[in-house]
Amino acid sequence: MTAMEFLPVLFMVAGIVLVAAGTLFVSSLLRPSNSYPEKNMPYECGVDPAGEAAGGRFRVPFFIVAILLVVFDVEAMFLFPWAVVLKDIGLVGYVEMFVFIALLLVGFAYAWLKGALEWEE
């Protein structure tokens, strides 16, 4: 492969960088810059923040739920291509995907049994 074959990729990357930089520059010119303390406070569903959230810290269950969401999104991302090529991969691919799903279910069951999905009042 020669360097000339990568020239379209270089143009695409340069275009993306220019569009991103231009967007950030124009938005910095157009945005209002009237910052005041009430505007910079954490916002929690229209209620004044109290407790730990008043300092900008969030409780661990928020992050655990976010991590579980990412895990199951990745699972769904793997299931679609697997379903498309199911006839081509045969029984071995079929069993491997069920092992993958079983491992994810074990992780989900572990999080559930440890109380990661329970919200304290």
Side-chain angles (χ1 to χ4, degrees):
M1 297 190 82
T2 65
M4 289 303 291
E5 293 177 6
F6 289 104
L7 194 59
V9 175
L10 180 64
F11 284 145
M12 180 65 84
V13 169
I16 290 170
V17 168
L18 286 174
V19 167
T23 302
L24 289 172
F25 178 71
V26 170
S27 67
S28 70
L29 294 176
L30 297 178
R31 70 175 180 190
S33 60
N34 54 352
S35 170
Y36 50 92
E38 288 83 14
K39 186 176 184 180
N40 293 330
M41 284 181 54
Y43 180 76
E44 292 185 12
C45 301
V47 179
D48 289 334
E52 293 179 4
R57 295 180 298 273
F58 294 98
R59 293 179 24 220
V60 173
F62 286 110
F63 297 107
I64 291 175
V65 169
I67 289 170
L68 287 174
L69 175 72
V70 169
V71 166
F72 288 108
D73 282 348
V74 169
E75 175 192 6
M77 194 170 59
F78 281 129
L79 283 177
F80 285 117
W82 171 76
V84 170
V85 297
L86 182 59
K87 289 182 181 178
D88 298 335
I89 60 177
L91 183 63
V92 174
Y94 191 72
V95 171
E96 284 178 355
M97 186 51 72
F98 275 99
V99 168
F100 174 69
I101 292 171
L103 287 173
L104 286 174
L105 287 176
V106 166
F108 178 68
Y110 176 78
W112 192 347
L113 292 174
K114 285 292 187 179
L117 302 176
E118 300 294 324
W119 292 95
E120 296 175 9
E121 298 277 331

